[in-house]
Amino acid sequence: MNEELYQAHILQHAKHPHNKEELADATISVPAKNTSCGDAYTLQLNVQDGFIEKAAFTGIGCAISQAAASLLTDKLTGMSTHEAAQVSEEDVYTLLHVPISTTREKCALLLWRALHEALKEHHA
Amino acid sequence: MDTTAIRNDFMSLKDGLVYLDSAATSLTPEPVLEAMNEYYRNYRANVHRGLYAEAERATERYEEARKNIAAFIGATADEVIFTSSATAASNMLVYALEHTLELQEGDEIVTTVMEHHAMLLPLQELAKRNGLVVKYAQLTKDFALDLEDLRELITEKTRIVAVTGASNVTGRVACVPEDTLTTGARPVIVRDMTACVGHMPVNMSALDADFAFFSGHKMCGPTGTGVLYGKKEWLDKLRPGYFGGGMVDSVTLDEATYHVGVPGFEAGTANVGGVIGLGAAVSYLTRIGMDEIRAHVEGLTNYAFEKLGALEGVTLYAAPPEVNVGIVSLTLVGVHPHDVAEIAGQHNVAVRAGHHCALPLHNALGVVATTRASFYLYNTRDDIDALVEAVNDARRTFN
Ligand SMILES: Cc1ncc(COP(=O)(O)O)c(C=O)c1O
């Protein structure tokens, strides 16, 4: 893996994130906040018959959290909620494919944490 | 001031680190490390207890540090309580005031939107426990405290007035004008001097505060040290908030009586080595001269304004250099403060990103976070040039 954090694909996702939109037909909306850096996101899922028809997000944050949100929502769309529940921290790091230092872990995993909140809510 | 010689005292700077994060914690000069090493190696013992030579020496050095630090802030040794940090001092003070002031529901606390959470949160919690009202003075231009607003907020119901000495985000120094305090009974005046002590000359007797506090680690001292200053008249009547060994006159199974003044507020074993280190830090700063340090930092702040202020897309959140303790926060359009700081880190430039434990101030400034550079005696113009280079790199990376 290249040592560089701000590689082209990260910058691309940060500047032009996928799925950054308000879902009119969301069945679940979960806020995700990183108060120490001021990052505030909302993860939205439209779940139909146990499948994520569409995953999207809104919010502001650093390049790492934006890229992670973009990549993660790409991956989630089309998954069953059971598959989504299996998405691990490691999967997020694999999606990002850049070295994430301890101080940036919370940026990388912000939306992933929201995902697990969302699934808990969905199954409750 | 010989910055080259000074830089040689700081081993952390040896490998080209550009350290612009002294507002988070400063670096430690060799004489401070030596003083602490000497204690741990040669005369480690608890203070105020043993009757052997090492214990006596430890006690002497500990109390000598107290005298030094008191003189450094224009106070006397019987006004200086050692704590583990500014935060610990602030919390301890607020509990002690709660036990002493006989607060009534509806009483008021007046503070400012400039405060660090270390002052703000203990006061908010105190208010919640006792049904008090907290009122906040706002900012005016150049990030200054609105003194008119402050005056108007203080009424006969005001029991505590807490105003920071300087903001740890904008660097802006603040004051409590004397004429704010003429209405009714005088409230207790508390000053968070954490961003000031060791960065500008401070004279508590001229400040006219009842209480003040600061941390040792932002002024060349070790982590885990702090000071609560209390005016002598106040410490004689203040009831302690913490209890334990070393502070008692007599104890039975039913009750205890406590030492009056400073010894009544230092329960438990102190950070002896740390206090000795802080004493050495104060000697170090005094030897260089606080006026010289202040002038040096003001010069750097000026230079930072000139260089950073000229950069495309950069907004500075910093008070003018002559009223700034050496802190410049900034945002770069289109780049998150964290990414600016990370790219600076790749340039070996240490700055901090976030809200710097001052969320209400960031709300007042209308930003969620900033990247903060802070200057101290060991910094040079080259350091600021390196930061400028890093900010330019951040802009290029994200454009
Ligand atoms: C103005 C101000 N007050 C209080 C504090 C708290 O200091 P400490 O974290 O050492 O307790 C800080 C440091 O972060 C500060 O800058």
Side-chain angles (χ1 to χ4, degrees):
Chain A
M1 205 188 290
N2 187 325
E3 285 300 296
E4 178 62 50
L5 178 62
Y6 298 108
Q7 289 178 42
H9 67 284
I10 295 290
L11 291 171
Q12 191 58 27
H13 277 281
K15 285 188 236 174
H16 309 288
H18 304 174
N19 316 309
K20 189 168 179 174
E21 60 189 282
E22 188 98 34
L23 282 192
D25 50 0
T27 55
I28 312 172
S29 274
V30 177
K33 265 193 167 184
N34 206 336
T35 42
S36 75
C37 19
D39 293 357
Y41 286 87
T42 302
L43 172 68
Q44 292 191 310
L45 303 177
N46 177 2
V47 179
Q48 300 297 334
D49 303 325
F51 279 86
I52 299 172
E53 296 273 310
K54 172 84 184 159
F57 76 100
T58 53
I60 46 161
C62 65
I64 304 307
S65 59
Q66 286 283 316
S70 173
L71 289 158
L72 182 64
T73 45
D74 265 355
K75 185 180 169 84
L76 291 173
T77 299
M79 273 188 164
S80 74
T81 53
H82 290 291
E83 285 169 324
Q86 305 299 313
V87 173
S88 67
E89 303 179 23
E90 273 317 308
D91 293 333
V92 177
Y93 294 137
T94 307
L95 286 173
L96 286 167
H97 204 63
V98 286
I100 299 295
S101 64
T102 359
T103 48
R104 299 309 284 271
E105 260 171 30
K106 57 185 194 306
C107 317
L109 298 178
L110 185 59
L111 224 67
W112 175 81
R113 294 216 158 87
L115 167 68
H116 288 275
E117 282 302 307
L119 293 173
K120 242 191 272 165
E121 217 168 88
H122 175 71
H123 290 296
Chain B
M1 210 175 96
D2 184 353
T3 315
T4 312
I6 288 172
R7 289 175 68 84
N8 283 331
D9 292 331
F10 292 84
M11 293 304 137
S12 310
L13 296 173
K14 283 282 178 282
D15 294 326
L17 171 66
V18 175
Y19 192 74
L20 297 175
D21 201 19
S22 298
T25 194
S26 69
L27 303 177
T28 326
E30 283 302 296
V32 171
L33 296 172
E34 279 158 21
M36 291 194 293
N37 256 340
E38 202 203 342
Y39 164 73
Y40 282 113
R41 286 215 173 98
N42 300 335
Y43 62 99
R44 177 165 172 163
N46 213 328
V47 292
H48 304 140
R49 289 177 178 58
L51 293 170
Y52 44 95
E54 287 76 9
E56 263 167 37
R57 190 163 164 214
T59 305
E60 272 166 26
R61 292 294 165 84
Y62 183 78
E63 291 305 328
E64 208 174 277
R66 195 192 307 274
K67 276 191 208 128
N68 263 341
I69 292 159
F72 188 65
I73 58 167
T76 51
D78 54 4
E79 297 177 316
V80 168
I81 297 164
F82 290 122
T83 68
S84 60
S85 64
T87 305
S90 161
N91 277 278
M92 175 171 143
L93 171 64
V94 167
Y95 277 117
L97 289 174
E98 186 172 16
H99 294 153
T100 308
L101 289 182
E102 293 173 4
L103 297 162
Q104 309 292 321
E105 204 175 315
D107 281 352
E108 294 172 354
I109 296 170
V110 172
T111 183
T112 82
V113 296
M114 284 167 83
E115 302 310 304
H116 186 279
H117 296 167
M119 181 78 266
L120 189 66
L121 299 182
L123 291 176
Q124 269 183 10
E125 293 296 327
L126 172 72
K128 262 197 235 160
R129 290 194 297 270
N130 295 276
L132 315 181
V133 179
V134 189
K135 302 199 291 191
Y136 296 97
Q138 302 291 322
L139 302 184
T140 167
K141 68 172 181 18
D142 285 340
F143 310 103
L145 182 61
D146 187 340
L147 297 180
E148 273 313 305
D149 195 19
L150 184 69
R151 272 191 196 97
E152 276 166 24
L153 291 178
I154 298 173
T155 68
E156 316 79 75
K157 285 190 163 177
T158 309
R159 304 297 307 280
I160 299 172
V161 173
V163 176
T164 192
S167 163
N168 67 315
V169 177
T170 63
R172 179 77 203 206
V173 293
C175 67
V176 185
E178 272 167 41
D179 64 347
T180 9
L181 304 168
T182 47
T183 48
R186 179 185 153 109
V188 178
I189 309 220
V190 182
R191 306 298 308 273
D192 172 358
M193 298 303 285
T194 313
C196 301
V197 177
H199 296 263
M200 57 189 272
V202 169
N203 187 340
M204 288 315 305
S205 59
L207 262 188
D208 196 29
D210 299 306
F211 296 98
F213 58 85
F214 54 94
S215 269
H217 70 90
K218 294 182 204 269
M219 47 179 288
C220 294
T223 56
T225 56
V227 166
L228 173 61
Y229 158 91
K231 230 185 221 163
K232 172 97 174 67
E233 306 91 273
W234 260 109
L235 288 190
D236 287 346
K237 61 185 174 198
L238 191 71
R239 295 177 50 79
Y242 288 3
F243 303 89
M247 61 172 294
V248 290
D249 266 337
S250 70
V251 184
T252 70
L253 288 180
D254 295 320
E255 60 178 4
T257 57
Y258 304 108
H259 292 320
V260 173
V262 167
F265 294 93
E266 289 183 357
T269 296
N271 181 356
V272 181
V275 164
I276 289 168
L278 182 56
V282 158
S283 302
Y284 181 79
L285 295 172
T286 307
R287 203 154 59 238
I288 294 164
M290 278 317 302
D291 288 322
E292 282 71 18
I293 293 171
R294 169 67 202 143
H296 175 74
V297 169
E298 191 177 327
L300 289 175
T301 312
N302 238 316
Y303 187 69
F305 260 76
E306 187 185 306
K307 291 287 167 173
L308 291 165
L311 296 180
E312 180 199 328
V314 166
T315 306
L316 299 186
Y317 299 87
E322 63 280 10
V323 285
N324 185 323
V325 289
I327 301 175
V328 172
S329 293
L330 60 89
T331 55
L332 173 61
V333 70
V335 189
H336 191 280
H338 248 106
D339 294 318
V340 176
E342 176 101 35
I343 287 172
Q346 292 172 355
H347 285 244
N348 218 4
V349 176
V351 291
R352 180 168 164 188
H355 54 60
H356 320 300
C357 303
L359 269 174
L361 178 58
H362 275 78
N363 287 338
L365 299 177
V367 285
V368 287
T370 52
T371 303
R372 178 182 75 183
S374 45
F375 315 123
Y376 208 9
L377 71 165
Y378 35 68
N379 290 120
T380 62
R381 289 183 169 211
D382 290 347
D383 293 346
I384 293 165
D385 291 339
L387 175 61
V388 166
E389 191 40 53
V391 172
N392 281 331
D393 188 18
R395 186 193 308 97
R396 280 194 299 272
T397 305
F398 281 87
N399 273 343

